[in-house]
Amino acid sequence: MTSERRVTFAVGASLFAITVAAFLRPPLLPDIGRDLSLSSLGLGVLGSVFALGRLAADIPAGRLSDSRPPGVMMMASAALVALGSLALALAPTSTVAFGAVFVLGVGSAWTLTTAQAHFATAPKERRGAAMSTFAASLLTAQAIAPVISGAIGAAFDWRVAIGVGAVICAIVIVPMARLGATPPPRERMRLEALQESDGRDTKIALAFIYLLPAVQFAIGAAMIQTIVPIVADEELGLSVGIIGAALGVGGVARLFGAIGAGRVMDRIGRRAALIPGLALQLAGVVTFALSGSVISLWIAVVLVSLGSVSVNVGTTLLADLSEGGRLGPRLGAFRFTGDAAFLIAPALAGWLLGIQGRMAATLPLVALTAAVLIGCVIWVPETRHAG
């Protein structure tokens, strides 16, 4: 294995392991709430604090990813998630738990930004495939983490399950420390490159690219994770098992969508993956807003999941447009908009659902997705063969 491939494999494996550790928490929330005397509101705030930690880290992690070796960045990520996991596992009070979850959020953002920046700087002709590898590692880890924590939590307790996350990250630190100061395997974004000011068209294109993660994260957090379970239970009378199965099918669809988008990006073009993906998500949100049956709900979940390629395609577009040395700062802004949507969208959707119903709750998602789709059709260029 070449040095370049060894570094990329190490970054991908670390992304998988650290993401597993960072996402062990969700199935354990009821036990955490009982142990630390947290109400449903308090557990919701716990999730918001995690999102705030991600927001706090997005911009600095993006800037540092241009100038620091990936081994150093991933070692810091593993250390942060290990520290947060250990603090949460030992938390005697809810206040300590909130601080621990904030650190977990910082470590999660640091991990994702570092890995995105690394995979996005693959040679242009296989950049789409590289981003598919990134997505596959991330999505698989997010799917496996609740299974692991649920099994350990059932056999022991939630503190042991969270503690396992600290052990996983401590193990990751060792190979990352050895990789440590190894320079980036490719001349990623040359620091000596000219920093020309972007033209008007490029600035407009970048603005719509920065909104791509906001679309994907808002739909995921507001519709898939918030509105769908509530509507499925209260309006359609579906059991927890059926709801879980629907969301599981959506997860599989996301994985296939990400892999397919990578192939399309490299073989046809970036826009050929982006525009249909956004159109599928818009169709899925509209279907859900107008649906009144179990079948239409499943169709909506599959459509939005298959179309969840905005982050991967957007990262690829940013890398194509940033050959002159500005990928890190741009990637930080890109992730910041997504995490901001992740923080705001569920609360807004839940509020609108409570006062006006399903159509009102999904209207902001329809408007955002439609606006970004139109903007991308008009303004975002094809960058596959850009110089």
Side-chain angles (χ1 to χ4, degrees):
M1 184 182 293
T2 65
S3 175
E4 177 181 329
R5 289 185 177 180
R6 185 166 57 251
V7 173
T8 298
F9 176 81
V11 171
S14 297
L15 167 67
F16 176 85
I18 298 171
T19 301
V20 166
F23 283 84
L24 292 172
R25 187 182 72 261
L28 305 171
L29 286 178
D31 288 344
I32 293 173
R34 282 188 288 270
D35 198 354
L36 299 179
S37 301
L38 286 171
S39 64
S40 297
L41 175 60
L43 292 175
V45 172
L46 205 66
S48 296
V49 170
F50 179 82
L52 286 173
R54 287 173 57 137
L55 281 171
D58 284 330
I59 301 297
R63 294 185 178 279
L64 287 171
S65 67
D66 270 354
S67 58
R68 298 294 187 273
V72 171
M73 294 290 288
M74 295 302 281
M75 183 170 61
S77 302
L80 284 166
V81 176
L83 177 62
S85 298
L86 182 62
L88 181 58
L90 300 176
T93 65
S94 59
T95 302
V96 175
F98 287 133
V101 169
F102 182 85
V103 174
L104 282 174
V106 172
S108 173
W110 206 276
T111 303
L112 294 174
T113 304
T114 301
Q116 273 184 280
H118 181 80
F119 281 97
T121 51
K124 185 175 286 188
E125 64 273 11
R126 52 185 177 86
R127 189 168 286 161
M131 289 310 302
S132 291
T133 302
F134 163 82
S137 180
L138 175 65
L139 293 175
T140 304
Q142 289 178 345
I144 287 176
V147 177
I148 294 174
S149 60
I152 297 174
F156 300 97
D157 64 22
W158 72 269
R159 293 183 184 273
V160 174
I162 296 296
V164 168
V167 174
I168 291 172
C169 289
I171 293 172
V172 170
I173 291 174
V174 177
M176 288 298 101
R178 293 184 60 186
L179 194 63
T182 302
R186 289 176 288 274
E187 190 180 15
R188 290 174 48 198
M189 297 295 154
R190 299 181 301 276
L191 297 178
E192 70 274 12
L194 295 176
Q195 300 291 311
E196 307 94 343
S197 60
D198 294 319
R200 177 175 177 271
D201 287 356
T202 301
K203 288 180 179 178
I204 296 175
L206 286 171
F208 282 106
I209 292 172
Y210 289 154
L211 287 172
L212 290 175
V215 171
Q216 185 168 324
F217 287 13
I219 291 175
M223 178 179 155
I224 299 298
Q225 299 178 17
T226 303
I227 309 175
V228 165
I230 295 173
V231 169
D233 174 64
E234 296 181 356
E235 294 186 21
L236 301 177
L238 299 181
S239 67
V240 174
I242 297 296
I243 297 171
L247 299 184
V249 169
V252 174
R254 280 187 66 192
L255 184 58
F256 278 104
I259 294 172
R263 292 179 179 273
V264 171
M265 280 194 282
D266 287 343
R267 296 180 180 182
I268 302 175
R270 316 314 195 198
R271 284 171 56 92
L274 176 64
I275 304 305
L278 287 171
L280 280 174
Q281 290 208 295
L282 180 60
V285 176
V286 172
T287 298
F288 177 73
L290 302 176
S291 69
S293 68
V294 175
I295 293 176
S296 57
L297 181 141
W298 280 68
I299 292 172
V301 169
V302 171
L303 285 175
V304 298
S305 299
L306 280 174
S308 296
V309 301
S310 299
V311 170
N312 296 339
V313 182
T315 304
T316 306
L317 287 165
L318 281 182
D320 292 344
L321 293 171
S322 303
E323 299 287 356
R326 287 167 288 185
L327 176 60
R330 287 173 171 173
L331 190 56
F334 179 81
R335 289 203 53 82
F336 186 89
T337 62
D339 285 335
F342 186 81
L343 177 65
I344 296 169
L348 177 62
W351 177 66
L352 290 173
L353 182 65
I355 63 172
Q356 292 293 333
R358 182 197 314 182
M359 291 189 66
T362 52
L363 185 59
L365 300 178
V366 172
L368 174 63
T369 307
V372 173
L373 173 58
I374 293 170
C376 288
V377 169
I378 297 173
W379 290 105
V380 174
E382 178 54 62
T383 61
R384 179 167 172 252
H385 297 297

